[in-house]
Amino acid sequence: MPTVSSRALFTVYLVIFLDMFNFGIVFPLLPSIAEHFGASATEVGSLATAFSVAQVVCTPLLGKASDRCGRRPVLLLAVFGTMASAALTGYAWSFPVLLIARSVNGACGGTSGIANAYIADVTTVEEKRVYMSYLSAANSLGIIFGPAVGGVLSHLGFSIACYVSASMSGLNFLVALAFLTESRAARPQARETSAPLRSSTDGVGPSSSGGNDSQQHRASIPCTAYLLYGSGFLFMLGFAAFESVTGYFLLDTYFNGDANKSGQFYGMIFVIAGVSMFVMAVFVYKPCLRVFGEKCTVLIGGIIRTSGYVGMALAPTPLYFGIAVVMQVSGGNLILPTTSSMLTTMCSKEIYGKALGYQQAAQAISRIFAPVMFGALYDRED
């Protein structure tokens, strides 16, 4: 069993849920934002770019800070920053201020790596894969409810939706302040089953003297971890491409330019995707891992995900397209928590935050390039 209370674990899952909630609530508000500020499509697109750039820059820094100062203070700082950014988004009096607010949101939204590190701190090798999959479940719920709440509140103006988001983050901050305990202090010696410390200067082996800072200095990320970072980049590049061009693909392929029907189906697709991710994380992942093991689970997930992408391209009707989307996201939910677990197995516990922060940063980089790359490719082939 984890070495922290269930309330502490719930708080970590709540942080991840609200990160994705705050990210997703903006999508239905984009037309209102464009109208309110008189922003062009390029300017509106720059909001997503600013979010991703800030996340790429700050996520590794947050991860390193959590290794040095502890997971709890860094998560509290990130939640407070998310609350402030949501409030500033609603209060923004000009587009540059809005751009700053979204940048702050991206900078403080890099909590996935820290949350994974928190789980790895308080669980055994056998437990952490399953508990990390629950982070994917929390993430999927944010995908479901963020755009849904944004859509419901959009007729009241984008400011109201942002204030609701800020209020939820404020509540999350109070919950974290009350129930979130420090994971690294809670981790007993018996659970420290990760890879030995690696020295960047004099071979391998743990230091027999010195404090936590000297251990962090000696520990380094192994070369094999960078293969996982590359896979994480490619993983999110595919999903970011899906986010970027699916709306145009549906409009052109199935709905003959009917933006209303296309938009409704697009929203429904994200709800279906979120539900599928939740089901996979809660009910399917654990039995699959028990039967097939880590490597085969990743392989099965890759086959299912690839089949989903191919099916989306070849789908003759919206129904078949929806089925292919379910395959794509379901396969992804077998891959991501497993690779995060593998990363903590090959790295020292002293640098969990740094290692997992780099993983999230690699994924965020893909969100910067995907809209430009695949948007241009779609326009060229259309």
Side-chain angles (χ1 to χ4, degrees):
M1 293 293 292
T3 57
V4 294
S5 68
S6 57
R7 292 181 297 183
L9 287 174
F10 172 79
T11 302
V12 173
Y13 296 137
L14 184 61
V15 169
I16 296 301
F17 165 75
L18 285 176
D19 270 353
M20 184 53 65
F21 181 92
N22 282 316
F23 179 74
I25 197 173
V26 173
F27 286 120
L29 305 177
L30 292 179
S32 300
I33 290 174
E35 182 180 1
H36 182 83
F37 291 103
S40 65
T42 301
E43 288 174 325
V44 171
S46 69
L47 296 176
T49 301
F51 179 97
S52 297
V53 169
Q55 192 168 79
V56 168
V57 172
C58 294
T59 295
L61 300 179
L62 291 176
K64 290 180 182 179
S66 76
D67 289 332
R68 180 179 293 273
C69 305
R71 318 291 183 213
R72 183 178 186 270
V74 176
L75 282 173
L76 287 173
L77 176 64
V79 172
F80 184 84
T82 299
M83 175 188 68
S85 68
L88 183 60
T89 300
Y91 188 69
W93 57 89
S94 66
F95 189 81
V97 174
L98 182 64
L99 200 63
I100 293 172
R102 295 306 295 164
S103 299
V104 173
N105 188 230
C108 297
T111 54
S112 177
I114 304 172
N116 275 291
Y118 190 101
I119 297 299
D121 286 339
V122 301
T123 56
T124 63
V125 173
E126 293 75 19
E127 293 170 338
K128 65 182 175 183
R129 304 180 188 101
V130 175
Y131 282 93
M132 284 180 176
S133 73
Y134 295 158
L135 290 173
S136 297
N139 187 72
S140 65
L141 290 176
I143 290 175
I144 297 171
F145 290 105
V149 171
V152 170
L153 298 178
S154 60
H155 70 283
L156 299 176
F158 78 92
S159 295
I160 299 299
C162 293
Y163 292 147
V164 169
S165 177
S167 299
M168 293 180 66
S169 293
L171 179 61
N172 187 23
F173 180 78
L174 295 178
V175 170
L177 205 60
F179 299 124
L180 187 64
T181 53
E182 178 51 53
S183 63
R184 303 188 76 206
R187 196 180 211 274
Q189 189 71 21
R191 286 179 175 252
E192 296 175 7
T193 56
S194 54
L197 297 180
R198 291 171 171 83
S199 172
S200 59
T201 58
D202 59 352
V204 299
S207 175
S208 60
S209 62
N212 187 55
D213 287 347
S214 64
Q215 287 183 321
Q216 287 183 30
H217 178 71
R218 291 174 59 84
S220 62
I221 298 174
C223 295
T224 50
Y226 289 91
L227 296 176
L228 292 180
Y229 295 152
S231 71
F233 172 82
L234 295 174
F235 177 96
M236 193 54 66
L237 187 69
F239 192 77
F242 164 70
E243 292 176 323
S244 302
V245 303
T246 294
Y248 300 106
F249 180 79
L250 294 173
L251 185 68
D252 296 336
T253 306
Y254 303 118
F255 296 100
N256 298 318
D258 190 331
N260 187 39
K261 289 183 179 180
S262 177
Q264 290 175 350
F265 184 76
Y266 190 33
M268 185 177 68
I269 282 293
F270 267 90
V271 173
I272 293 172
V275 172
S276 301
M277 292 168 66
F278 181 81
V279 170
M280 289 294 295
V282 176
F283 300 109
V284 178
Y285 180 77
K286 185 176 181 179
C288 187
L289 195 64
R290 186 188 305 118
V291 173
F292 299 108
E294 272 189 345
K295 293 182 179 179
C296 285
T297 297
V298 171
L299 179 61
I300 292 169
I303 293 172
I304 295 173
R305 192 167 190 253
T306 301
S307 300
Y309 278 121
V310 173
M312 288 163 59
L314 302 178
T317 66
L319 174 62
Y320 285 105
F321 186 88
I323 294 173
V325 168
V326 170
M327 293 178 62
Q328 182 255 120
V329 298
S330 297
N333 251 45
L334 293 178
I335 297 172
L336 201 55
T338 311
T339 54
S340 295
S341 175
M342 293 169 67
L343 189 59
T344 61
T345 301
M346 65 178 62
C347 293
S348 164
K349 71 181 184 65
E350 301 299 332
I351 56 170
Y352 278 171
K354 174 183 176 181
L356 289 162
Y358 283 177
Q359 182 188 45
Q360 189 178 359
Q363 295 169 7
I365 290 173
S366 67
R367 289 187 179 273
I368 298 174
F369 295 106
V372 177
M373 289 172 52
F374 291 98
L377 183 62
Y378 184 85
D379 288 340
R380 180 179 178 181
E381 297 298 325
D382 187 23

